[in-house]
Amino acid sequence: QVQVVESGGGLVQAGGSLRLSCAASGRTFSRYAMGWFRQAPGKAREFVAAISGSGGTTEYADSVKGRFTISRDNAKSTVYLQMNSLKPEDTAVYYCTGQYSISLVKLGTGSWGQGTQVTVSS
């Protein structure tokens, strides 16, 4: 499985933007679909977005469609999550994960990094 390290979280006002990064290890990064999940206090971890190994296919949770964009740079073994128009309900720890397909990513069966905290103030 691909090992990941997330970064880029922080405190932002509602309506603001942040870009999260996820650096992955391994020379076969492009073979993995990658995804982002988040977990708010007292809630279960939930799927946010996923991208295929080539970057040609993406999927999003309904709650972030039109506001978040997932992308990847296979040369840098990094996946990004651009978050715009942030809302207080986006506050959570954001986790990156990788698996062999988007379907498997969405099941949350891959390995996890330590996460990065995103806090959106109202």
Side-chain angles (χ1 to χ4, degrees):
Q1 290 184 340
V2 62
Q3 303 300 312
V4 298
V5 177
E6 304 93 337
S7 63
L11 173 64
V12 64
Q13 288 188 332
S17 298
L18 278 175
R19 189 177 81 155
L20 306 183
S21 298
C22 169
S25 63
R27 293 175 291 178
T28 59
F29 178 70
S30 63
R31 296 182 184 180
Y32 288 89
M34 300 295 294
W36 288 93
F37 282 68
R38 66 187 181 186
Q39 187 167 21
K43 295 187 177 181
R45 192 171 297 187
E46 65 174 2
F47 168 75
V48 174
I51 188 168
S52 62
S54 67
T57 301
T58 56
E59 290 193 21
Y60 296 91
D62 287 343
S63 59
V64 306
K65 279 181 182 176
R67 300 188 299 122
F68 291 10
T69 302
I70 189 170
S71 62
R72 65 190 295 158
D73 184 336
N74 285 344
K76 296 182 178 179
S77 296
T78 301
V79 62
Y80 305 97
L81 186 68
Q82 178 66 45
M83 305 185 296
N84 299 328
S85 302
L86 282 161
K87 304 175 181 180
E89 51 263 44
D90 295 317
T91 295
V93 178
Y94 283 69
Y95 297 91
C96 177
T97 188
Q99 260 291 7
Y100 293 115
S101 69
I102 286 181
S103 296
L104 288 175
V105 166
K106 293 173 69 176
L107 289 176
T109 57
S111 59
W112 302 98
Q114 82 289 348
T116 186
Q117 176 71 48
V118 171
T119 302
V120 184
S121 63
S122 57

